[in-house]
């Protein structure tokens, strides 16, 4: 089994969709939730799906020994961020090289970077007058919203739509594409790649 940890601090609707999608999966398992917010939706999800859920503070999050102990205990192979706002520290990136993904509610690099999250993104799209927006699923590196892009999907909107209307349209895309994109990527990096297939 490929053991996936979900980091989420908001309502947790993406975490919910991922958990449902992989519930009976033969190769991929949502093994743990991690959050810095006691009000996060994943607390409820952990109870509902009997998946361990950890709440940590900033000091613990940046403490490599503390976090690595948890990753080891739950044999975490891969991390999916779903509404998690803190910058990922370098020791995460070393341990999970190209094995951390994020979903961002705009067509990066537009409306991304530090401070661009949640409704701030949708308000900026609304103010821009653009007639489309979308979501981006990307690998995580040391900068905000900057890693290699795995998938982008766009959606038409009426220029100057309200941020709420834009958020709804984008969330629908996120719920449709995040799980299958993670599944395809995991199949590519963990399953199709067999060292024995390499000609010596
Ligand atoms: C989503 O829009 C996602 O793109 C962003 O944070 C939001 C999380 O929403 N990274 P939810 O908590 O999954 O409902």
């Amino acid at each position: 089994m490929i053991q996936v940890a979900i980091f989420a601090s908001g309502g947790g609707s993406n975490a919910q969709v991922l958990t449902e999608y992989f519930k009976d999966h033969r190769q991929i398992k949502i093994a743990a939730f991690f959050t810095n917010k006691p009000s996060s939706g994943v607390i409820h999800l952990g109870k509902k799906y009997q998946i361990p859920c950890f709440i940590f503070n900033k000091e613990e999050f940046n403490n490599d020994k503390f976090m690595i102990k948890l990753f080891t205990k739950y044999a975490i192979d891969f991390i999916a961020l779903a509404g998690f706002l803190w910058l990922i520290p370098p020791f995460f990136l070393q341990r999970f090289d190209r094995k951390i993904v994020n979903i961002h509610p705009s067509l990066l690099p537009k409306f991304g970077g530090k401070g661009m999250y949640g409704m701030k993104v949708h308000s900026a799209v609304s103010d821009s007058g653009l007639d489309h927006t979308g979501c981006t699923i990307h690998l995580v590196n040391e900068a905000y919203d900057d890693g290699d892009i795995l998938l982008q999907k766009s959606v038409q909107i009426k220029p100057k739509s309200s941020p709420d209307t834009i958020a709804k349209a984008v969330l629908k895309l996120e719920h449709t594409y995040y799980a299958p994109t993670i599944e395809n990527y995991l199949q590519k990096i963990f399953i199709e790649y067999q060292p024995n297939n390499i000609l010596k």
Side-chain angles (χ1 to χ4, degrees):
M1 274 286 177
I2 302 165
Q3 306 263 114
V4 176
I6 297 180
F7 277 63
S9 301
S13 71
N14 278 288
Q16 154 84 42
V17 172
L18 293 179
T19 307
E20 256 314 304
Y21 188 90
F22 291 115
K23 204 170 52 171
D24 300 315
H25 201 280
R26 285 173 46 239
Q27 293 150 321
I28 300 166
K29 178 180 170 185
I30 304 301
F33 297 121
F34 288 83
T35 185
N36 59 308
K37 289 251 171 82
S39 57
S40 166
V42 292
I43 309 274
H44 166 69
L45 282 184
K47 288 188 190 130
K48 180 171 171 199
Y49 290 90
Q50 306 269 294
I51 295 172
C53 182
F54 298 96
I55 308 175
F56 49 78
N57 60 33
K58 198 136 205 176
E59 202 182 315
E60 290 164 337
F61 175 68
N62 284 301
N63 180 328
D64 53 350
K65 289 201 182 70
F66 182 88
M67 293 307 289
I68 286 175
K69 210 165 148 187
L70 285 175
F71 294 148
T72 307
K73 183 168 179 197
Y74 292 94
I76 301 303
D77 300 305
F78 188 85
I79 293 175
L81 308 183
F84 185 74
L85 300 183
W86 290 351
L87 193 64
I88 296 301
F91 74 86
F92 270 61
L93 301 171
Q94 273 152 27
R95 184 171 176 107
F96 298 102
D97 183 26
R98 297 180 70 79
K99 294 193 180 102
I100 307 177
V101 283
N102 182 40
I103 186 156
H104 184 82
S106 76
L107 294 169
L108 290 174
K110 282 186 192 138
F111 311 107
K114 192 168 165 48
M116 287 302 274
Y117 59 86
M119 293 312 279
K120 292 187 186 185
V121 176
H122 303 307
S123 298
V125 171
S126 174
D127 292 345
S128 75
L130 283 174
D131 66 352
H132 66 283
T133 182
C135 69
T136 303
I137 299 165
H138 65 93
L139 297 180
V140 170
N141 66 11
E142 61 289 338
Y144 282 108
D145 304 328
D146 185 54
D148 289 347
I149 290 173
L150 300 181
L151 185 92
Q152 289 192 302
K153 284 284 168 187
S154 60
V155 60
Q156 288 295 124
I157 49 169
K158 283 201 192 109
K160 305 273 174 195
S161 294
S162 74
D164 272 344
T165 303
I166 297 173
K168 280 202 187 89
V170 172
L171 208 53
K172 198 166 157 203
L173 278 187
E174 296 187 33
H175 292 169
T176 307
Y177 292 104
Y178 201 19
T181 302
I182 290 175
E183 183 182 33
N184 287 343
Y185 184 66
L186 288 177
Q187 268 159 354
K188 205 165 90 190
I189 64 169
F190 284 105
I191 299 164
E192 286 167 22
Y193 172 74
Q194 299 284 346
N196 291 343
N197 292 343
I198 294 173
L199 293 174
K200 295 217 168 95

